[in-house]
């Protein structure tokens, strides 16, 4: 996308000329990847700018890590705590960190790249010789009939409410989808005392068989496997999940169930404020 720049947006005026801020390095995203890159590069003496659209560093996994109350941090698990050291190393590194700064364009410039930013409601343009994109991944929501009903939300949104505001569903929850976030959220809800009524895992059990040839390499990261098995064990132990854990062989089955439960949720969509 090409963008024309209004001169008044380019930067501070110095000695009669409009100056654009320049950095040898700009990093987009203050999640674990951007924080680590920032601390490392600043340690090498690079004058860098770290931009993130969120009001505080941490990204998805370490969202709100500097301000989260102790009790809430405890239920999020030991992994969450590790983010604090990462944020502290970024803060101590001397790099410049700009929160609430959304990068909305990136264009080649004669000696590097030009970044277009929206920063706290104002447009800004910055130049950088190099740019590291550490803007993370997105959850892929799957629309189905009823998915916009009150009380139905993405797992990611549920976790953001928990991490950011200490809010959890009041009348129990059904969690559906696939991937580790599903299990992590169910486990975190469990630790908050939320009744996990069912986990609908859309990944067919045959996926485990298909993944078998990759097991030897996966064992190199055995702590992730141990973590996942730990979530499953705790959930099964706590809520006798066996009969409620549905491995869905077809998406349709899951969606039908979700729709039905979504309608139920519509009638009971209150949320509990943990007041942490
Ligand atoms: C909703 C959600 C919740 C998750 N929760 C967990 C969890 O609890 N535990 C876990 O292990 N994994 C979780 N994940 C997976 C997670 O993506 C990774 O574990 C980890 O956070 C990835 O780190 P990252 O630094 O690559 O990206 P992220 O942590 O996603 O950080 C990217 C950062 O870039 C910023 N950003 C993106 N686009 C722009 C832009 N245009 N301009 C400025 N800033 C921008 C974002 O605000 C974000 O702060 C979650 C993923 C999602 C989508």
């Amino acid at each position: 996308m090409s963008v024309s720049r209004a001169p008044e947006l380019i930067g501070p005026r110095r000695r009669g000329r409009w100056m654009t801020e320049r950095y040898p390095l700009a990093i987009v995203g203050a999640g674990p990847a951007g924080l680590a890159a920032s601390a490392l590069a600043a340690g090498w003496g690079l004058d860098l700018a770290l931009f993130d659209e969120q009001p505080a560093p941490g990204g998805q996994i370490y969202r709100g890590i500097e301000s989260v109350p102790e009790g809430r941090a405890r239920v999020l698990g030991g992994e969450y705590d590790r983010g604090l050291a990462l944020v502290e190393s970024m803060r101590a590194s001397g790099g410049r960190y700009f929160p609430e700064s959304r990068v909305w364009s990136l264009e080649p410039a004669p000696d590097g790249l030009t970044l277009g930013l929206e920063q706290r409601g104002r447009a800004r343009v910055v130049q950088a010789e190099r740019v590291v994109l550490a803007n993370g991944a997105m959850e892929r929501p799957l629309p189905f009939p009823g998915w916009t009903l009150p009380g139905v939300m993405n797992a990611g949104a549920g976790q953001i409410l928990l991490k950011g505001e200490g809010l959890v569903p009041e009348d129990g929850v059904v969690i559906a989808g696939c991937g580790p976030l599903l299990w992590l959220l169910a486990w975190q809800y469990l630790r908050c005392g939320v009744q996990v009524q069912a986990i609908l895992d859309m990944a067919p059990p045959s996926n485990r068989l298909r993944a078998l040839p990759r097991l030897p390499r996966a064992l190199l990261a055995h702590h992730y496997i141990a973590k996942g098995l730990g979530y499953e064990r705790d959930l099964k132990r706590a809520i006798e999940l066996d009969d409620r854990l549905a491995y869905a062989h077809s998406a349709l089955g899951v969606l039908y169930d979700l729709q039905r439960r979504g309608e139920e949720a519509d009638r009971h969509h209150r949320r509990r404020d943990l007041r942490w």
Side-chain angles (χ1 to χ4, degrees):
M1 178 178 67
S2 88
V3 183
S4 62
R5 263 169 251 119
E8 68 272 19
L9 301 182
I10 289 181
R13 199 173 181 199
R14 289 189 204 133
R15 297 204 190 104
R17 294 179 56 214
W18 289 100
M19 304 288 289
T20 307
E21 264 177 77
R22 288 189 60 85
Y23 296 94
L25 179 67
I27 299 174
V28 183
L35 290 169
S38 168
L40 193 68
W44 291 335
L46 276 175
D47 181 18
L48 66 91
L50 171 63
F51 300 106
D52 194 289
E53 63 188 355
Q54 297 296 328
Q60 297 294 359
I61 177 167
Y62 303 132
R63 178 177 291 273
I65 185 73
E66 289 177 304
S67 56
V68 71
E70 208 185 312
R72 204 186 303 163
R74 237 191 339 268
V75 297
L76 292 172
E79 185 86 354
Y80 181 74
D81 270 347
R82 290 200 204 153
L84 200 53
L86 207 50
V87 171
E88 281 168 358
S89 67
M90 178 279 285
R91 293 234 185 247
S93 69
R96 288 176 224 207
Y97 162 57
F98 298 94
E100 294 178 80
S101 303
R102 174 176 297 139
V103 176
W104 58 269
S105 73
L106 194 56
E107 288 180 78
D111 47 1
L113 293 141
T114 302
L115 292 92
L117 301 169
E118 185 267 313
Q119 196 173 59
R120 295 182 174 151
R122 298 186 66 135
R124 190 175 155 197
V125 173
V126 165
Q127 301 233 315
E129 284 168 37
R130 295 278 188 278
V131 175
V132 170
L133 290 179
N135 52 331
M138 282 170 72
E139 192 181 12
R140 192 177 64 165
L142 186 62
F144 58 91
W147 77 309
T148 54
L149 284 171
V152 182
M153 63 174 67
N154 294 342
Q159 204 201 38
I160 288 170
L161 279 176
L162 169 58
K163 283 181 181 167
E165 310 297 333
L167 289 173
V168 294
E170 189 175 54
D171 304 309
V173 66
V174 173
I175 302 181
C178 61
L181 190 57
L182 199 76
W183 290 92
L184 174 62
L185 181 64
W187 184 78
Q188 288 171 335
Y189 274 160
L190 190 69
R191 287 163 66 90
C192 295
V194 173
Q195 195 198 350
V196 180
Q197 290 167 339
I199 297 177
L200 306 176
D201 193 331
M202 284 176 67
S206 59
N207 272 12
R208 294 189 178 207
L209 277 179
R210 284 176 50 209
L212 260 186
R214 298 176 200 275
L215 186 61
R217 282 200 72 195
L219 286 174
L220 294 174
H222 50 87
H223 59 286
Y224 283 119
I225 299 178
K227 206 162 66 164
L229 290 173
Y231 296 154
E232 199 171 319
R233 183 203 54 221
D234 289 354
L235 282 157
K236 279 185 173 162
R237 195 179 286 160
I239 58 176
E240 292 165 13
L241 207 57
D242 278 343
D243 57 341
R244 297 182 191 155
L245 172 65
Y247 283 108
H249 294 273
S250 85
L252 267 182
V254 170
L255 298 186
Y256 172 76
D257 205 41
L258 265 177
Q259 186 183 3
R260 192 169 53 78
R261 286 168 191 271
E263 281 157 10
E264 275 171 30
D266 188 26
R267 292 195 290 276
H268 306 284
H269 70 274
R270 284 164 296 153
R271 262 173 238 125
R272 183 154 58 93
D273 186 345
L274 293 174
R275 300 205 183 283
W276 290 328

